[in-house]
Amino acid sequence: MSVDNTAQQELELATKWLDITITNFIENMRKLRIEDTGTLMASFQKQVVGSAEGRLQMRLSYALYGKFVDMGVGRGMGAGVTKKDDGYDRIRMSRGRLKRYARKKRNWYATEMSYQTRRLSELMYELHGKLLLTTVNSALPSETTITF
């Protein structure tokens, strides 16, 4: 296994990992019924970049309001609406609580991301462990036997 081959395998692994992660995010959103307009699901973008230093970089982006849905926070009204406006009384009570519904967190991101990050590290350890064993094995004299 050469270094170039390993870099290619890392790139393939990262691309597949991003595909699976996005698929799992969308499944979580459907399960939790976070499909109001579909714009959050459509906002996912991924990019895998191999840097000059040999480090692999991945970028996963999505609409910012997705974090607010995950945490169960947000204003619940349009930008620019203040307490003095007519729209404020229509949406909120005098103490600031929403009239329509109470917000609750819907964990579509946090739990899945921690699991997927751990899984990516396991896959990378496995890939580089094979490279290490191959390198050690090829550097040893042929008469020597090592038992692991």
Side-chain angles (χ1 to χ4, degrees):
M1 212 182 282
S2 68
V3 175
D4 293 335
N5 190 16
T6 303
Q8 182 64 29
Q9 287 181 344
E10 277 183 352
L11 193 64
E12 290 173 9
L13 180 76
T15 305
K16 289 178 185 176
W17 179 83
L18 281 170
D19 291 338
I20 291 170
T21 301
I22 290 173
T23 303
N24 288 347
F25 283 154
I26 291 173
E27 283 179 21
N28 285 343
M29 285 184 215
R30 286 194 176 121
K31 187 172 27 172
L32 295 169
R33 296 188 180 122
I34 309 172
E35 304 181 73
D36 298 332
T37 61
T39 54
L40 180 57
M41 289 182 193
S43 70
F44 282 101
Q45 294 179 353
K46 62 183 178 187
Q47 183 181 14
V48 180
V49 181
S51 67
E53 299 90 35
R55 300 188 83 163
L56 187 68
Q57 296 178 353
M58 295 180 283
R59 180 174 298 137
L60 175 64
S61 60
Y62 54 91
L64 177 63
Y65 77 89
K67 281 198 173 204
F68 303 136
V69 172
D70 181 66
M71 294 183 286
V73 298
R75 291 184 67 201
M77 58 186 134
V81 177
T82 63
K83 285 187 178 183
K84 299 174 190 171
D85 295 337
D86 293 332
Y88 186 84
D89 293 333
R90 182 175 42 83
I91 296 171
R92 295 192 173 254
M93 298 177 196
S94 61
R95 299 188 73 180
R97 293 193 68 174
L98 286 169
K99 289 182 180 179
R100 295 180 282 179
Y101 56 91
R103 292 193 182 275
K104 62 180 181 178
K105 61 193 274 186
R106 296 184 276 177
N107 292 332
W108 68 269
Y109 174 80
T111 308
E112 186 66 31
M113 191 61 183
S114 63
Y115 170 76
Q116 291 297 339
T117 305
R118 190 184 87 238
R119 183 66 184 136
L120 177 64
S121 67
E122 291 170 355
L123 293 171
M124 287 294 181
Y125 284 143
E126 183 180 317
L127 178 66
H128 289 285
K130 288 179 185 176
L131 176 66
L132 179 65
L133 286 175
T134 304
T135 305
V136 168
N137 195 17
S138 64
L140 290 174
S142 59
E143 312 74 60
T144 308
T145 305
I146 296 179
T147 307
F148 289 100

